[in-house]
Amino acid sequence: THHEVLSFIDHVNRFRDMDSSVWADAGKVQLTAVLNYHRGGLVPSGGAYLANVPGPRWADHRAVYVCPLSEQWKRWIGAHEKWMTQEAFGQFIEDNLTDLANPDPANALDASMPAPARVLEVARDLVIHAKEQFQRTINPSTGEGVFSWKKDNEVQGTTKVPKSFLLGIPVFDAGDAYRIEARLRYDVKDGAARFQVALYQPQTILRDAFDKIRKQVAD
């Protein structure tokens, strides 16, 4: 079992022959090399090749590489589509602020995305007013939410909550960072706000990162 992709590649190159095979399991994000796999249609014999000679082998000499998920990916996937109180959400954002990415001014899709400092400001507001009564309104044209907090039935203040923000995190340890849209879902239940983070197409991102590892090994 290997924990570094270069170690896995070096090991396979050391022991492989023309019939060795590497198998990819996208579900487990793992690669398995079967070094003594069954012989194919051409079997070497004294420097020549004999066609169509059956060559079953035990297929038990193996090397396995399980792609190690990054700590950042595990944290955000762990929070994916799970409801949090406003206090827990605010603390989660503050604890993982370095994972947030700045929007790219040259990218039209980033135009409505807030900077990390703005997301932190919203998170801190939510923590400060966690014990107060909330009500929510949504801007139908932008999807942006406005939370108002009340005391003695009087509005004490408001904060705008963006509909999404950007992450810049690697999927695998020491891997490339991906810009990922984190969509915010929120509502009010029994006078308290609650939040949910939904990563946009996380399985597609995971598959893309795994395909890069597969190509590296194949090359």
Side-chain angles (χ1 to χ4, degrees):
T1 300
H2 296 260
H3 302 285
E4 296 283 348
V5 67
L6 294 180
S7 169
F8 176 77
I9 290 169
D10 288 346
H11 184 88
V12 173
N13 280 333
R14 177 181 296 180
F15 291 105
R16 69 185 176 93
D17 60 28
M18 63 178 297
D19 294 295
S20 298
S21 186
V22 180
W23 303 85
D25 186 332
K28 295 180 180 178
V29 288
Q30 101 178 8
L31 299 170
T32 301
V34 183
L35 296 160
N36 58 339
Y37 193 63
H38 311 302
R39 295 209 182 279
L42 296 176
V43 179
S45 176
Y49 288 95
L50 305 177
N52 299 319
V53 177
R57 296 200 286 183
W58 292 110
D60 58 353
H61 184 191
R62 299 184 175 210
V64 176
Y65 174 63
V66 180
C67 300
L69 297 171
S70 71
E71 290 302 316
Q72 299 98 313
W73 179 263
K74 287 189 283 189
R75 282 197 300 270
W76 286 95
I77 283 294
H80 176 65
E81 294 186 337
K82 292 183 179 176
W83 286 108
M84 290 182 269
T85 65
Q86 68 220 58
E87 195 167 11
F89 172 75
Q91 193 62 56
F92 181 80
I93 293 297
E94 192 157 0
D95 290 346
N96 298 287
L97 186 64
T98 55
D99 295 339
L100 274 61
N102 280 301
D104 180 0
N107 187 337
L109 295 176
D110 287 9
S112 62
M113 297 289 184
R118 173 57 188 154
V119 181
L120 178 61
E121 181 184 348
V122 170
R124 285 178 173 168
D125 274 353
L126 293 168
V127 172
I128 291 169
H129 300 284
K131 304 302 181 185
E132 298 175 22
Q133 290 290 302
F134 272 70
Q135 68 180 26
R136 179 194 70 161
T137 56
I138 297 289
N139 184 327
S141 61
T142 65
E144 187 178 61
V146 177
F147 277 92
S148 305
W149 53 88
K150 290 183 173 184
K151 190 173 183 180
D152 298 329
N153 290 324
E154 290 187 7
V155 174
Q156 303 294 307
T158 63
T159 188
K160 292 181 180 179
V161 181
K163 66 176 182 178
S164 58
F165 55 90
L166 283 173
L167 300 176
I169 60 173
V171 176
F172 299 127
D173 275 347
D176 295 335
Y178 280 79
R179 289 170 65 81
I180 304 169
E181 182 183 354
R183 296 179 172 179
L184 275 178
R185 299 169 182 166
Y186 33 79
D187 66 7
V188 175
K189 186 175 183 181
D190 299 326
R194 61 176 189 165
F195 291 81
Q196 187 184 97
V197 176
L199 303 186
Y200 182 63
Q201 296 185 338
Q203 290 304 316
T204 300
I205 295 167
L206 179 63
R207 182 57 186 256
D208 183 79
F210 184 56
D211 283 346
K212 289 181 179 179
I213 297 289
R214 291 201 310 165
K215 184 179 186 305
Q216 183 182 0
V217 172
D219 290 345

